[in-house]
Amino acid sequence: MKSHQKESGLKKLGAGTDNQKLDLSRIVFIGRTYEEYTGMFNLSVEQMAGKRILDCAGGACSFTAHANRRGIQASACDIAYEFKADDLERKGIDDLNHTMENMGRVADQYVWSYFSSLKALQEERARALHDCVQDMREQPGRYQAAALPTLPYADKQFDMSLNAHLLFMYSDRLDYEFHLTSLVELIRVTKDEIRIFPLTDLSGRKYEHLDRLLHDVQACIHSAHIEKSSYEFQRGANELLSIRLQP
């Protein structure tokens, strides 16, 4: 696996996974900070105030931990949450160290403006991991072991759902049917809005079936538009998709 794939926080993928047989060694547990999330998704505290927000798939991201500290009702789901926080922390530290050892080889594939150096990147990734697993220990109810395309939530349980670095990112191994059924499932559990970032795969190519995907769900949504994100780390991954489910 290339190091830039590792940096993206690839989780074990595929529908119908038997969590009882899930192998922790096959999961890469790396995440992003709350600040990265607000940049990726162009979110402000005012926009999120009073809303129930789902981070799917959350990985080792600290968005849920810090959002709740700001009075936002955030929850996260991920296939990795099958495992205990201590095990995930150890795995996350190993994965981060391995990633940073190889990151220099593909540094030209990234934009070094948000992070000033590899050291700064590693520090932020370590902070995200620490804050995530600490919140898992203190508030385990916020973290649900689950994976698209089937989520254990009620219809319209969340006002907003966020999907970072899963849909579109792995379109070389997740087929169109997975994307469609996953988006339909996010629509089912979301009341107002879904935001997806980025719109590119690991090679920086924009998802080629995006128009078809939006056409196939048009009866279930109110509108969809692409907007420039204020965050760019992977070169060219600087747009997000906002899907409105009601006027």
Side-chain angles (χ1 to χ4, degrees):
M1 180 180 291
K2 295 180 181 179
S3 58
H4 68 288
Q5 291 176 315
K6 302 271 291 179
E7 152 52 34
S8 296
L10 178 60
K11 305 165 185 67
K12 188 175 184 294
L13 302 170
T17 301
D18 182 355
N19 285 358
Q20 297 301 320
K21 299 178 181 178
L22 187 60
D23 183 359
L24 181 57
S25 68
R26 296 181 64 187
I27 295 173
V28 175
F29 199 64
I30 295 178
R32 291 160 178 80
T33 63
Y34 170 88
E35 292 79 12
E36 286 181 89
Y37 260 54
T38 57
M40 289 188 296
F41 292 110
N42 292 345
L43 290 169
S44 66
V45 173
E46 292 73 22
Q47 288 175 312
M48 296 185 286
K51 293 186 176 180
R52 299 161 299 170
I53 300 179
L54 174 65
D55 180 11
C56 175
C61 297
S62 63
F63 172 80
T64 295
H66 286 273
N68 278 281
R69 293 175 191 174
R70 291 164 171 80
I72 300 159
Q73 300 176 59
S75 302
C77 66
D78 195 287
I79 196 170
Y81 300 158
E82 172 77 10
F83 300 98
K84 294 179 181 179
D86 289 351
D87 295 331
L88 289 174
E89 184 174 37
R90 284 191 291 269
K91 184 66 166 63
I93 291 170
D94 289 344
D95 289 339
L96 181 57
N97 288 337
H98 178 78
T99 297
M100 291 301 105
E101 288 172 2
N102 294 282
M103 192 71 180
R105 302 175 187 174
V106 292
D108 61 339
Q109 298 179 26
Y110 295 88
V111 178
W112 296 95
S113 55
Y114 188 92
F115 301 106
S116 60
S117 64
L118 283 172
K119 180 181 179 181
L121 170 64
Q122 184 167 11
E123 289 173 350
E124 287 295 274
R125 293 287 179 267
R127 182 166 69 91
L129 173 65
H130 173 272
D131 292 352
C132 174
V133 295
Q134 187 61 29
D135 198 52
M136 291 177 69
R137 295 184 181 105
E138 297 172 359
Q139 300 290 339
R142 294 173 181 168
Y143 300 86
Q144 177 74 47
L148 288 170
T150 304
L151 300 177
Y153 302 114
D155 293 356
K156 308 306 177 188
Q157 183 169 336
F158 301 96
D159 298 300
M160 176 183 289
S161 291
L162 307 176
N163 183 277
H165 300 92
L166 177 57
L167 295 182
F168 312 146
M169 180 64 72
Y170 302 106
S171 55
D172 63 328
R173 67 205 72 176
L174 297 175
D175 62 15
Y176 179 78
E177 185 64 23
F178 177 88
H179 282 80
L180 178 59
T181 55
S182 294
L183 182 53
V184 168
E185 183 71 344
L186 287 173
I187 290 170
R188 182 187 69 80
V189 303
T190 310
K191 179 182 176 183
D192 294 329
E193 185 180 10
I194 298 165
R195 297 191 185 189
I196 301 172
F197 176 92
L199 308 187
T200 56
D201 63 15
L202 289 165
S203 299
R205 295 185 298 265
K206 194 167 182 176
Y207 182 55
E208 63 179 335
H209 302 300
L210 184 56
D211 289 343
R212 176 188 174 191
L213 183 66
L214 294 177
H215 176 271
D216 286 348
V217 299
Q218 65 180 348
C220 306
I221 69 176
H222 175 260
S223 63
H225 73 275
I226 294 171
E227 62 183 78
K228 197 81 167 181
S229 171
S230 62
Y231 174 95
E232 182 181 8
F233 182 43
Q234 181 188 353
R235 194 173 299 279
N238 56 8
E239 292 181 319
L240 67 100
L241 174 65
S242 171
I243 299 174
R244 298 291 307 183
L245 302 177
Q246 59 181 0

